[in-house]
Amino acid sequence: LGGWSRWNALRMLSTGSRVLISLQKAYKLLLHMAQAPGLRIHAASGEAQDQFAHLSKEERDQWRENREKEKEKEKDQIRTKLENALHNEELTIAVDLSFGEGDYDRGRSSLSKQLCYCYSYMKDYEKPPSFHLTSYTAEVQQHLSKRGSDKWIIHRHQEDIRTVFKDRLQDLIFLSPDSPNVLETIEPGKIYVIGGIVDRTVQKGMSLTKWEKQATASGEVKRAGDEVIRSARLPINEYVSRDVQGRGHVLNINVVFHVLVEFTRTRDWKQTLTEAFDKLYPIRTARSKREKSSPSSTTDTSVL
């Protein structure tokens, strides 16, 4: 969440707000603000405010000046970290934005927000990944630039995913919930591709089918029976209960992004996925825990 989002979230929840939102949305928003990776909410104590009130004008000015220097130092540190991430060979993540071609209006707001979350997370990671946006066309740029994407310290490419990485096609691993292959680990030097699509209807095989058609058209398939592309799915079925998974374990872009980065740190799928769902899907996990602890809950959790 950026500063603008945090401010408006708090404004909506304030006593004098005229903006009406449901209790469920308010609860979800507060949980997300409190639990999103790297997000910190600071509340000045009454004692601290009293101490500041008793400072002289010169002392207050000095305090503000020191605080501004601290902020500038933090910004420089983040910028250096993100610039180093451009060349991070341990983890490379690319989001393929070609799915919105010709129909970008649909879901573009959600897509933009999810990409903003990804970049926001990068600022808080100890070692951010090398982050690429492919098919970053003028149409996509026009919308994303409203959220400051032109200033993001990442790789942006107008070309499609295969053109950008034409010399490393063997390193591309396309992530799809429909892949028959389970992603067992993350390998340095590989490029993990996420489909830049907000699929509200959960169309089975949408991303995988498109990527396979692209590979076939480009002549990458040499012999009959060859695997068209190298694909994989996150091991969600193996480590996350069905009642928490949601719609066929289809995850938001920022969730997949976060899981990949965190796994490089923990090297433990169960820990990574459990923590990710707790932080980024708090409503799902809270509901699941309530249902499991309820005496009237059934033993069958295969149906949502």
Side-chain angles (χ1 to χ4, degrees):
L1 284 170
W4 184 91
S5 299
R6 290 197 296 270
W7 167 250
N8 279 274
L10 291 171
R11 182 174 60 83
M12 284 192 294
L13 297 177
S14 64
T15 305
S17 173
R18 296 182 180 179
V19 181
L20 299 179
I21 58 177
S22 67
L23 289 175
Q24 183 181 19
K25 287 184 178 180
Y27 175 63
K28 183 176 180 180
L29 182 58
L30 284 172
L31 283 175
H32 186 82
M33 289 172 63
Q35 298 177 349
L39 180 60
R40 302 173 182 87
I41 301 176
H42 298 282
S45 66
E47 182 181 354
Q49 291 178 354
D50 290 340
Q51 291 177 352
F52 187 79
H54 287 84
L55 294 178
S56 65
K57 182 181 182 303
E58 291 75 14
E59 290 172 327
R60 291 184 185 184
D61 291 342
Q62 184 63 50
W63 182 89
R64 293 190 181 96
E65 182 180 345
N66 292 339
R67 180 53 184 156
E68 288 302 317
K69 289 181 179 179
E70 290 177 6
K71 287 182 178 179
E72 288 302 319
K73 183 178 180 181
E74 291 174 1
K75 288 180 181 179
D76 290 341
Q77 291 174 342
I78 291 175
R79 172 173 288 277
T80 299
K81 180 170 61 174
L82 293 176
E83 289 174 346
N84 291 336
L86 293 172
H87 312 289
N88 183 359
E89 297 182 357
E90 292 185 24
L91 178 60
T92 300
I93 300 175
V95 176
D96 179 2
L97 297 175
S98 66
F99 289 88
E101 292 177 351
D103 189 27
Y104 189 66
D105 285 342
R106 183 183 180 185
R108 64 181 182 179
S109 179
S110 294
L111 174 61
S112 299
K113 288 179 182 178
Q114 292 175 32
L115 293 175
C116 284
Y117 288 151
C118 292
Y119 188 67
S120 177
Y121 298 166
M122 288 183 65
K123 297 178 182 179
D124 294 297
Y125 292 138
E126 182 177 346
K127 193 169 186 179
S130 178
F131 188 26
H132 296 253
L133 296 179
T134 66
S135 295
Y136 190 78
T137 61
E139 184 181 13
V140 176
Q141 181 183 8
Q142 182 180 7
H143 191 75
L144 283 178
S145 61
K146 296 176 183 178
R147 297 181 177 271
S149 64
D150 291 342
K151 296 181 180 180
W152 293 356
I153 305 176
I154 62 172
H155 298 280
R156 288 176 292 273
H157 313 274
Q158 292 185 351
E159 300 80 12
D160 64 81
I161 189 77
R162 281 184 166 73
T163 302
V164 173
F165 298 105
K166 60 183 178 181
D167 298 326
R168 300 179 60 189
L169 292 176
Q170 72 280 3
D171 294 327
L172 294 176
I173 300 179
F174 295 87
L175 300 177
S176 168
D178 302 301
S179 174
N181 310 310
V182 178
L183 185 64
E184 297 180 355
T185 189
I186 291 178
E187 306 172 58
K190 300 300 182 184
I191 303 161
Y192 295 88
V193 184
I194 304 172
I197 182 171
V198 178
D199 186 9
R200 299 188 182 281
T201 59
V202 191
Q203 300 179 45
K204 186 174 179 59
M206 186 174 185
S207 58
L208 198 58
T209 300
K210 176 169 183 174
W211 283 327
E212 288 178 344
K213 287 181 178 179
Q214 290 175 342
T216 303
S218 66
E220 291 174 39
V221 183
K222 305 299 182 183
R223 304 184 304 275
D226 279 356
E227 185 177 23
V228 178
I229 60 173
R230 185 177 178 185
S231 66
R233 64 172 177 83
L234 296 178
I236 296 174
N237 285 338
E238 289 73 14
Y239 296 104
V240 180
S241 61
R242 184 72 181 91
D243 54 330
V244 176
Q245 288 182 25
R247 306 174 303 161
H249 60 264
V250 175
L251 304 180
N252 291 347
I253 296 168
N254 56 295
V255 178
V256 178
F257 183 93
H258 178 62
V259 167
L260 293 175
V261 176
E262 283 298 287
F263 179 78
T264 61
R265 180 182 64 84
T266 65
R267 290 292 165 180
D268 184 320
W269 280 121
K270 183 170 184 174
Q271 177 185 343
T272 298
L273 289 168
T274 300
E275 292 178 352
F277 272 78
D278 283 345
K279 290 179 179 179
L280 303 177
Y281 291 124
I283 297 295
R284 290 188 195 177
T285 53
R287 181 180 62 222
S288 174
K289 291 176 182 178
R290 286 198 307 270
E291 291 175 351
K292 289 180 179 179
S293 62
S294 173
S296 60
S297 61
T298 63
T299 56
D300 182 9
T301 60
S302 61
V303 181
L304 291 177

